[in-house]
């Protein structure tokens, strides 16, 4: 399974580069825009040797088509058999976030963040912080936003802005 994750990450890194300068694209994010990870292309089963469960790929496809209900339902089914799949936890959690199902989003994203093992980690932390805010758990959100800022990654500016809004 770990080898499959590396293949997914490698493919996504290649497909998120621009054609003109071969540098990663920068996308701005706020709650009213397309989810950040929607810019990441799904991997087809051939790239993974056909080993991926069809429910996972179907759930991710639904996510990328903004069918968050379908994505959540499909990925929850998949997670019953694969409860430690970081990517499935991430996509399911973010789908719940966009459905304003903050309790479920927090459950999935906390598990995903705990694994600390993917290119989606910072994005998972961001959506977890937003889910805390959605539930008015602002102290938890502030702590996580400060961690994101300290990491100095691509969500630093958004996290700083969000902290100012919470004050």
């Amino acid at each position: 399974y770990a080898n499959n994750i590396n293949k997914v990450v490698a493919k996504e890194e290649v497909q998120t580069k621009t054609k003109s300068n071969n540098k990663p694209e920068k996308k701005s994010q706020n709650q009213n825009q397309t989810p950040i990870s929607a810019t990441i292309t799904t991997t087809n089963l051939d790239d993974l040797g056909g080993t991926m469960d069809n429910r996972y790929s179907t759930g991710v496809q639904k996510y990328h088509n903004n069918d968050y209900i379908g994505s959540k339902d499909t990925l929850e089914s998949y997670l019953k058999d694969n409860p430690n799949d970081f990517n499935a936890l991430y996509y399911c959690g973010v789908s719940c976030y966009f459905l304003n199902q903050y309790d479920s989003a927090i459950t999935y994203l906390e598990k995903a963040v705990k694994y600390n093992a993917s290119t989606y980690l910072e994005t998972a932390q961001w959506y977890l912080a937003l889910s805390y805010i959605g539930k008015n758990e602002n102290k938890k959100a502030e702590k996580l936003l400060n961690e994101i800022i300290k990491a100095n990654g691509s969500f630093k500016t958004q996290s700083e802005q969000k902290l100012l809004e919470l004050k």
Side-chain angles (χ1 to χ4, degrees):
Y1 180 74
N3 289 338
N4 290 345
I5 291 295
N6 291 335
K7 291 178 185 176
V8 170
V9 171
K11 181 171 176 67
E12 289 170 350
E13 288 172 355
V14 169
Q15 291 186 354
T16 58
K17 300 203 184 229
T18 61
K19 290 179 184 172
S20 61
N21 61 14
N22 203 28
K23 291 183 181 174
E25 295 177 7
K26 289 197 174 184
K27 302 268 184 187
S28 64
Q29 169 67 22
N30 71 38
Q31 207 168 341
N32 298 323
Q33 292 179 335
T34 305
I36 290 163
S37 60
T39 62
I40 299 172
T41 26
T42 57
T43 336
N44 60 54
L45 294 176
D46 294 337
D47 295 332
L48 300 176
T51 60
M52 192 175 284
D53 187 311
N54 189 44
R55 292 173 294 172
Y56 172 80
S57 58
T58 300
V60 171
Q61 175 99 29
K62 289 179 180 187
Y63 173 88
H64 287 292
N65 290 331
N66 300 324
D67 176 6
Y68 301 120
I69 293 171
S71 176
K72 175 188 169 280
D73 292 345
T74 305
L75 290 170
E76 282 181 333
S77 170
Y78 171 79
L79 284 164
K80 287 179 185 174
D81 297 325
N82 303 280
N84 299 321
D85 185 317
F86 172 91
N87 292 331
L89 289 165
Y90 166 79
Y91 280 113
C92 193
V94 177
S95 292
C96 291
Y97 167 77
F98 281 107
L99 294 169
N100 298 321
Q101 297 175 1
Y102 302 121
D103 287 326
S104 294
I106 289 168
T107 298
Y108 291 118
L109 291 169
E110 281 180 342
K111 289 178 186 176
V113 166
K114 174 180 83 170
Y115 289 109
N116 197 18
S118 173
T119 57
Y120 300 139
L121 176 61
E122 187 181 5
T123 310
Q125 290 173 318
W126 170 250
Y127 282 113
L128 178 56
L130 294 179
S131 297
Y132 285 143
I133 293 167
K135 281 208 58 187
N136 292 315
E137 295 182 14
N138 293 346
K139 293 287 186 211
K140 288 182 180 180
E142 287 175 13
K143 181 180 179 204
L144 191 51
L145 291 169
N146 280 315
E147 288 176 23
I148 294 169
I149 292 166
K150 186 178 177 183
N152 202 27
S154 59
F155 284 91
K156 180 180 178 180
T157 303
Q158 293 98 320
S159 295
E160 290 170 339
Q161 286 178 304
K162 196 54 79 172
L163 273 177
L164 289 173
E165 292 171 18
L166 291 176
K167 305 253 178 201

